[in-house]
Amino acid sequence: MSSYKEIFEKIHKELLDSLDFTEEITDEEMQEKIDEFIVFKNKKIHLTLKEKEGLRKDLFASVRKLDILQELVDDPAVTEIMVNGTGNIFIERDGKIKKWERRFESEEKLNDVVQQIVSGCNRVVNEASPIVDARLSNGSRVNVVLNPIALNGPIITIRRFPDVPITMEKLIEIGSVSKEAALFLQKLVQARYNIFISGGTGSGKTTFLNALSAYIPKDERIITIEDNAELQIQGVPNLVKLETRNANLEGCAAITIRDLIKSSLRMRPDRIIVGEVRGGEAIDMMQAYNSGHDGSMSTGHSNGTADMLSRLETMILMGMDLPLMAIKQQIASGIDIIIHLGRLRDKTRKVLEIAEVDKFQDGKIYMHTLYKFEEHKESMHEKVMGTLGKKGELLHGEKLKMAGIAL
């Protein structure tokens, strides 16, 4: 008696041999073709009804989707998928990372999945260009690294975002931010304060930016700029979404974050939202902040609010040779508020600090803490308990007054 694996491989080969890859075929037609091979052309296979249903699903995933990874991509509880070559697949579920029991049958099959992912968003990855960022149709972010860069590759890392964006109400409910702080931030967004969100990898920066963007008035024109489109801004009809493009072998030139920021300034934006600032584009973003586009937002990697300012200085120097004092002046006048997020030891994500950029004086940027997370004495290793407490009043309320908003 043939095993499930042998049956799958046999029908999979027959199915591929029968396909004419020059013709378009819909998902429904592919399902019908798979059913035909299982029910009529392989009548003697000895599988239960449940096994046949699984075979149908696995064949479709193999031919049209992401093979064994499709099961994980479809699982809303899985937030991260890490493929380290053919034999080691790790997943993050409920904040915990564990090894998955399934594996790719061959490196060839894994490479097929890689090419399917990148071709779906017009990206290219190969030995000449072995690193690429991409995204799936459901909005999940994908990073791919191939041989010879990845010695045990191909390496795929998929960050899955919720199908329904997490709201600020949900973040309050799960304890990521206090209701008082959220109401305070709502008024700052509506009054068009420039807000920068900082934090480490996996701290929830994009999620928080999505939630914060819900406070933007719906009659404004918003332009989002990202390496890979991840933001899920809802309910804004006048929304423009821009995404970078890598150079390719066909002669298409790269289009960078810097290019998109410069172009967006000619598109009559009310606000510009840059998904993440990593390098020289920080100078263009800062010039946008300082040229009448109040209410703009962005994110960046850092270990704290003060560290974020230092990193921004370094990033601006990467993009333009300016005196450091001039850079500090630009940052101090451009950014109003920095929100720092962190992922704690119990895997929860919380707002750790909300700070106001006060002033630039004597060669230094002064900051003023408004809210700070403080851990309680009864907090345990397995469960962090604490409060995001108010530490100071807003020093610069001019934008609130102009908007007619009272704290």
Side-chain angles (χ1 to χ4, degrees):
M1 184 183 293
S2 299
S3 67
Y4 179 91
K5 181 181 176 183
E6 290 170 336
I7 294 169
F8 172 86
E9 289 174 349
K10 176 179 181 293
I11 298 179
H12 185 259
K13 184 178 184 306
E14 292 174 354
L15 183 63
L16 290 180
D17 289 344
S18 72
L19 294 177
D20 182 353
F21 290 99
T22 63
E23 293 182 2
E24 288 282 337
I25 181 168
T26 66
D27 286 351
E28 291 75 17
E29 289 170 336
M30 181 60 74
Q31 289 282 21
E32 289 175 7
K33 206 166 187 64
I34 290 170
D35 290 344
E36 180 186 344
F37 272 87
I38 294 175
V39 177
F40 300 111
K41 295 189 177 180
N42 288 274
K43 293 180 180 179
K44 295 181 181 180
I45 60 172
H46 299 286
L47 294 175
T48 65
L49 181 60
K50 187 175 181 180
E51 286 173 327
K52 286 182 179 179
E53 288 175 352
L55 180 62
R56 182 179 190 260
K57 185 178 177 182
D58 288 345
L59 284 167
F60 184 77
S62 178
V63 176
R64 294 305 286 261
K65 294 199 174 184
L66 304 182
D67 200 51
I68 61 172
L69 297 185
Q70 193 62 43
E71 176 185 336
L72 299 176
V73 171
D74 292 338
D75 186 348
V78 174
T79 52
E80 199 102 26
I81 304 166
M82 293 155 275
V83 181
N84 304 340
T86 57
N88 291 300
I89 301 175
F90 293 84
I91 62 172
E92 181 185 55
R93 184 185 274 121
D94 301 325
K96 296 178 181 177
I97 296 175
K98 66 176 184 179
K99 188 174 180 179
W100 198 40
E101 66 275 4
R102 299 187 69 178
R103 56 173 291 159
F104 281 94
E105 294 173 7
S106 66
E107 189 168 316
E108 181 184 11
K109 187 61 195 176
L110 177 51
N111 276 314
D112 287 345
V113 170
V114 167
Q115 295 306 325
Q116 194 165 345
I117 289 171
V118 298
S119 64
C121 54
N122 296 317
R123 300 289 169 105
V124 175
V125 65
N126 48 42
E127 275 195 24
S129 179
I131 301 174
V132 71
D133 289 317
R135 73 175 187 276
L136 303 182
S137 57
N138 67 355
S140 297
R141 184 175 71 199
V142 185
N143 174 263
V144 176
V145 185
L146 299 185
N147 287 317
I149 304 301
L151 301 182
N152 60 331
I155 307 297
I156 307 174
T157 309
I158 301 174
R159 168 79 57 83
R160 192 185 191 283
F161 297 99
D163 296 328
V164 178
I166 295 177
T167 62
M168 194 62 76
E169 289 72 22
K170 180 63 177 178
L171 292 175
I172 294 169
E173 181 187 323
I174 62 178
S176 292
V177 65
S178 68
K179 187 174 183 179
E180 180 189 358
L183 289 171
F184 172 71
L185 291 173
Q186 178 181 3
K187 293 180 179 181
L188 296 188
V189 171
Q190 292 169 345
R192 304 177 68 86
Y193 279 71
N194 290 329
I195 297 174
F196 202 96
I197 300 168
S198 71
T201 302
S203 59
K205 298 184 296 296
T206 302
T207 298
F208 199 84
L209 181 56
N210 270 326
L212 208 58
S213 67
Y215 294 142
I216 296 174
K218 307 306 179 191
D219 60 347
E220 294 188 11
R221 178 170 171 82
I222 313 301
I223 297 181
T224 66
I225 297 171
E226 302 173 84
D227 270 331
N228 291 287
E230 299 171 8
L231 293 171
Q232 298 170 293
I233 295 175
Q234 305 287 311
V236 177
N238 200 349
L239 174 67
V240 177
K241 302 176 73 172
L242 303 179
E243 185 181 56
T244 62
R245 183 184 72 189
N246 294 336
N248 62 31
L249 298 176
E250 284 73 43
C252 292
I255 296 175
T256 66
I257 291 278
R258 298 195 69 173
D259 297 328
L260 295 178
I261 292 175
K262 290 173 184 175
S263 180
S264 71
L265 296 176
R266 297 187 286 270
M267 299 170 71
R268 203 261 176 224
D270 287 311
R271 303 183 195 230
I272 298 171
I273 298 178
V274 182
E276 185 176 338
V277 176
R278 297 193 187 100
E281 66 272 10
I283 180 61
D284 302 292
M285 184 198 70
M286 211 54 61
Q287 288 174 346
Y289 278 18
N290 283 298
S291 59
H293 299 92
D294 286 342
S296 296
M297 293 185 271
S298 187
T299 77
H301 282 82
S302 82
N303 296 319
T305 53
D307 181 53
M308 191 69 249
L309 293 179
S310 299
R311 282 185 53 76
L312 280 170
E313 291 169 14
T314 304
M315 287 189 278
I316 290 173
L317 284 169
M318 290 165 63
M320 190 172 287
D321 188 14
L322 288 172
L324 186 57
M325 292 301 105
I327 291 172
K328 288 177 179 284
Q329 179 73 59
Q330 284 257 328
I331 293 171
S333 60
I335 298 177
D336 298 312
I337 300 290
I338 297 181
I339 304 167
H340 184 68
L341 310 178
R343 192 176 187 195
L344 306 184
R345 61 179 179 272
D346 62 352
K347 311 302 181 185
T348 57
R349 299 170 174 89
K350 295 186 186 294
V351 174
L352 300 182
E353 186 179 2
I354 302 173
E356 178 183 17
V357 178
D358 180 14
K359 60 187 175 182
F360 173 72
Q361 187 175 307
D362 301 326
K364 181 181 177 183
I365 300 175
Y366 287 85
M367 299 187 70
H368 172 59
T369 299
L370 302 172
Y371 288 85
K372 195 172 184 67
F373 180 81
E374 293 181 340
E375 195 170 333
H376 295 164
K377 290 180 180 178
E378 59 268 27
S379 187
M380 299 175 289
H381 181 81
E382 300 79 13
K383 180 66 177 175
V384 176
M385 300 175 70
T387 305
L388 183 65
K390 190 172 183 178
K391 297 297 175 184
E393 299 292 337
L394 190 72
L395 299 176
H396 300 278
E398 298 84 3
K399 290 184 179 180
L400 285 166
K401 289 178 183 176
M402 288 178 65
I405 297 172
L407 285 177

